[in-house]
Amino acid sequence: MTPDDPIIAELQQIRRDLHAHPELCYEEHRTAEVVAARLTAWGIPVVRGLGVTGVVGILQRGTSKRAIGLRADMDALPMQEVNTFAHASRHPGKMHACGHDGHTAMLLGAAHRLAHQGNFDGTVYLIFQPAEEGGAGARRMIADGLFEQFPMEAIYGMHNWPGAAVGTLSVVAGPMMASSNEFSVVVKGKGAHAAQPHNSIDPIMIAVQIAQSWQTIITREKSPLDTAVLSITQIHAGSATNVIPSEATLIGTVRTFTTPVLDLIESRMRAVAEHTAAGFGAQVEFGFKRNYPPLLNHARETAFAVEVMKEVVGVAMVDDHVEPTMGAEDFAFFLQKKPGCYIFIGNGEGQHRDGGHGLGPCVLHSGSYDFNDSLLPIGASYWVKLAEMSLPT
């Protein structure tokens, strides 16, 4: 597909309409309706309801029993947009700040081309997934029977990547994105007057000790070859300058590329917190929640995707050893169940934004972000070529 393809103008209109009407996880009713209506108009059968608001289009040609899945996410973020251009969010506190509007539009573009001119033998499942932003929509669709109802041999995903040159395609086999986990630790001590600290069991000082000790898990207990992040992002305690409180809370996130490293960090965090508190005569309530697993690209499917990428944008525009990121993605749940590959498509530095954009950088989860519409033909072409090369006639 090229920028002057007639469908591109329609895709841009769809993308900007979705951007102006963002919907949060499991609330993507309007978005799902837009997607289903377009697919139906193009003669593509649709199944709705998996993952609450998910949409699956079914494109079948020829006699082959082979099938693949192509996935786009649809949800927005609970944050305020600072852009003021014409397609800025019309819903305060909601914004497409991660480009899922663009992902949806690119897959719709591929659906149009494959439905009208596709040269493949088999079935392409077009998976429009809700609730990627913290809602684990991928896991919900799997639980609702996605792979039983739509059996496929592989599944593929794509995400725009600000900072990478426009239209570049990048990927790496194995770990590409980290697991996402959160912790909350409440230190229970004994409150007292701040002028009489000897009458207290100071939970703030205990929390400080725990926080400092946790860093040795990263620097001294795991192998330096194993990547991991332990970030304390919130500390809450006290309400007055002359009162030592009875409780202090530590909250944050842990990111790893492997489950064994995550197991080590979680167990040692708990032990350090409990024993440190006990040493001061306090107690702790330790909570650890595993949200998204690491995103692990399968070697065979990644090698195949790289060949497709080269066909679409040329060898010079492909990076098949991109640096992994400690960000997380619930596409990882799909890759736990099926072989597949997840890639990045360069979104540029932000020069594409219309007048009226915010003064902040064009980065993911920023109020000044906007998807680069020049990616629409590139991303759609990748999906089309991937389907045609996966299911040759």
Side-chain angles (χ1 to χ4, degrees), residues 161-306:
W161 206 245
V166 175
T168 55
L169 300 177
S170 55
V171 71
V172 66
M176 182 157 164
M177 301 187 77
S179 64
S180 172
N181 317 277
E182 58 190 72
F183 60 83
S184 176
V185 176
V186 180
V187 181
K188 294 180 173 293
K190 178 182 176 183
H193 196 294
Q196 299 174 325
H198 57 290
N199 292 328
S200 75
I201 298 176
D202 189 343
I204 295 178
M205 296 308 298
I206 298 169
V208 170
Q209 292 283 341
I210 292 172
Q212 291 179 326
S213 298
W214 274 347
Q215 295 308 312
T216 65
I217 300 172
I218 302 299
T219 62
R220 290 296 179 267
E221 297 197 44
K222 72 165 187 63
S223 168
L225 300 179
D226 293 324
T227 304
V229 169
L230 193 169
S231 292
I232 300 168
T233 55
Q234 299 178 50
I235 299 178
H236 302 285
S239 59
T241 58
N242 60 349
V243 176
I244 294 174
S246 60
E247 293 185 356
T249 301
L250 299 168
I251 297 173
T253 183
V254 172
R255 309 290 177 108
T256 71
F257 285 136
T258 69
T259 299
V261 172
L262 180 60
D263 292 340
L264 167 68
I265 293 173
E266 179 183 353
S267 65
R268 291 300 297 138
M269 285 180 69
R270 180 187 296 274
V272 167
E274 291 177 345
H275 290 299
T276 301
F280 289 95
Q283 296 180 323
V284 295
E285 291 181 356
F286 182 87
F288 197 97
K289 181 182 179 183
R290 300 191 179 195
N291 294 326
Y292 292 175
L295 189 150
L296 307 177
N297 278 329
H298 295 252
R300 178 180 176 182
E301 285 67 29
T302 301
F304 172 72
V306 168

Side-chain angles (χ1 to χ4, degrees), residues 117-138:
Q117 303 175 33
N119 183 26
F120 63 95
D121 184 10
T123 303
V124 179
Y125 294 117
L126 308 161
I127 303 166
F128 294 86
Q129 180 214 305
E132 190 282 324
E133 297 289 359

Side-chain angles (χ1 to χ4, degrees), residues 19-362:
H19 189 95
H21 300 88
E23 296 175 300
L24 304 183
C25 64
Y26 297 120
E27 299 175 1
E28 307 91 337
H29 301 288
R30 182 185 184 277
T31 304
E33 187 62 38
V34 169
V35 169
R38 282 303 197 285
L39 295 178
T40 300
W42 298 333
I44 302 172
V46 169
V47 175
R48 299 181 63 175
L50 275 78
V52 184
T53 48
V55 179
V56 179
I58 306 167
L59 263 174
Q60 190 170 14
R61 286 197 173 186
T63 59
S64 174
K65 300 299 183 182
R66 298 183 61 202
I68 63 167
L70 309 179
R71 173 271 204 171
D73 37 18
M74 301 188 295
D75 58 322
L77 283 155
M79 59 180 290
Q80 184 65 37
E81 181 160 8
V82 298
N83 300 315
T84 59
F85 41 58
H87 62 280
S89 173
R90 299 178 187 176
H91 304 311
K94 300 178 183 180
M95 179 190 175
H96 268 296
C98 206
H100 297 184
D101 50 343
H103 302 165
T104 297
M106 288 190 294
L107 188 53
L108 282 174
H112 182 273
R113 174 56 61 88
L114 289 169
H116 292 84
Q117 303 175 33
N119 183 26
F120 63 95
D121 184 10
T123 303
V124 179
Y125 294 117
L126 308 161
I127 303 166
F128 294 86
Q129 180 214 305
E132 190 282 324
E133 297 289 359
R139 182 173 59 194
R140 182 67 177 269
M141 292 190 82
I142 293 170
D144 284 352
L146 175 69
F147 293 132
E148 289 77 22
Q149 191 170 348
F150 309 103
M152 61 192 75
E153 60 190 51
I155 187 167
Y156 296 88
M158 174 166 47
H159 202 293
N160 77 97
W161 206 245
V166 175
T168 55
L169 300 177
S170 55
V171 71
V172 66
M176 182 157 164
M177 301 187 77
S179 64
S180 172
N181 317 277
E182 58 190 72
F183 60 83
S184 176
V185 176
V186 180
V187 181
K188 294 180 173 293
K190 178 182 176 183
H193 196 294
Q196 299 174 325
H198 57 290
N199 292 328
S200 75
I201 298 176
D202 189 343
I204 295 178
M205 296 308 298
I206 298 169
V208 170
Q209 292 283 341
I210 292 172
Q212 291 179 326
S213 298
W214 274 347
Q215 295 308 312
T216 65
I217 300 172
I218 302 299
T219 62
R220 290 296 179 267
E221 297 197 44
K222 72 165 187 63
S223 168
L225 300 179
D226 293 324
T227 304
V229 169
L230 193 169
S231 292
I232 300 168
T233 55
Q234 299 178 50
I235 299 178
H236 302 285
S239 59
T241 58
N242 60 349
V243 176
I244 294 174
S246 60
E247 293 185 356
T249 301
L250 299 168
I251 297 173
T253 183
V254 172
R255 309 290 177 108
T256 71
F257 285 136
T258 69
T259 299
V261 172
L262 180 60
D263 292 340
L264 167 68
I265 293 173
E266 179 183 353
S267 65
R268 291 300 297 138
M269 285 180 69
R270 180 187 296 274
V272 167
E274 291 177 345
H275 290 299
T276 301
F280 289 95
Q283 296 180 323
V284 295
E285 291 181 356
F286 182 87
F288 197 97
K289 181 182 179 183
R290 300 191 179 195
N291 294 326
Y292 292 175
L295 189 150
L296 307 177
N297 278 329
H298 295 252
R300 178 180 176 182
E301 285 67 29
T302 301
F304 172 72
V306 168
E307 294 308 307
V308 176
M309 292 154 66
K310 291 177 180 177
E311 288 284 330
V312 174
V313 297
V315 175
M317 295 285 280
V318 174
D319 179 2
D320 60 358
H321 287 86
V322 71
E323 182 178 67
T325 172
M326 300 307 288
E329 233 290 348
D330 79 342
F331 191 81
F333 288 114
F334 290 138
L335 294 179
Q336 287 185 326
K337 300 293 184 180
K338 292 286 180 179
C341 178
Y342 187 82
I343 75 165
F344 293 149
I345 180 170
N347 198 61
E349 299 285 352
Q351 291 86 347
H352 64 279
R353 292 175 294 178
D354 290 346
H357 68 76
L359 297 179
C362 186

